[in-house]
Amino acid sequence: QVQLVESGGGLVQAGGSLRLSCAASGTIFRINTMGWYRQAPGKQRELVATVTSGGSTNYLDSVKGRFTISRDYVKKTVYLQMNSLKPEDTAVYYCNCNAQVRALLGSLDYWGQGTQVTVSS
């Protein structure tokens, strides 16, 4: 199976920056898309940013120009650099990857445990 371990969350003032990291480990044949989602209290989980195996990225409109997703293919790690943070960015951020554990098996989605990001005004 695939394990995802996140780090880098915390408390920051509005306008500040944080960098989230998520490392994948375990039995992995291939990782397809990796990404970050977030869930604020009382709201549904939403996609923040994704990066495909080919390097194509996709962002939530409200974070475009402020957040940057990147990926280290050797370390099987995905990063989310968050700049110009706003109070509305406060949420639990979850790492996600779509991966195959064996060559002849289909891919599945895996999730990290979540890391809290709190932006104070």
Side-chain angles (χ1 to χ4, degrees):
Q1 295 299 314
V2 178
Q3 294 82 44
L4 298 175
V5 179
E6 301 141 336
S7 61
L11 173 64
V12 65
Q13 288 187 333
S17 299
L18 284 174
R19 188 190 193 212
L20 305 182
S21 300
C22 171
S25 63
T27 304
I28 301 173
F29 171 71
R30 176 165 56 209
I31 297 177
N32 300 314
T33 299
M34 298 188 80
W36 293 92
Y37 291 69
R38 69 187 183 187
Q39 187 167 19
K43 295 186 177 181
Q44 290 188 332
R45 189 173 297 189
E46 62 181 356
L47 182 152
V48 177
T50 59
V51 55
T52 68
S53 56
S56 296
T57 58
N58 182 45
Y59 293 93
L60 178 69
D61 282 347
S62 62
V63 308
K64 287 180 180 177
R66 301 188 296 121
F67 291 10
T68 302
I69 191 169
S70 60
R71 181 170 168 176
D72 185 322
Y73 294 84
V74 174
K75 294 182 179 179
K76 300 183 178 65
T77 299
V78 64
Y79 306 95
L80 185 68
Q81 178 66 43
M82 304 185 293
N83 298 328
S84 302
L85 282 160
K86 303 176 180 180
E88 50 264 43
D89 294 318
T90 295
V92 177
Y93 283 70
Y94 295 91
C95 176
N96 168 273
C97 82
N98 181 270
Q100 286 175 269
V101 296
R102 294 191 180 184
L104 299 180
L105 294 179
S107 61
L108 294 174
D109 281 334
Y110 298 89
W111 294 91
Q113 79 283 1
T115 185
Q116 177 71 45
V117 171
T118 302
V119 184
S120 63
S121 57

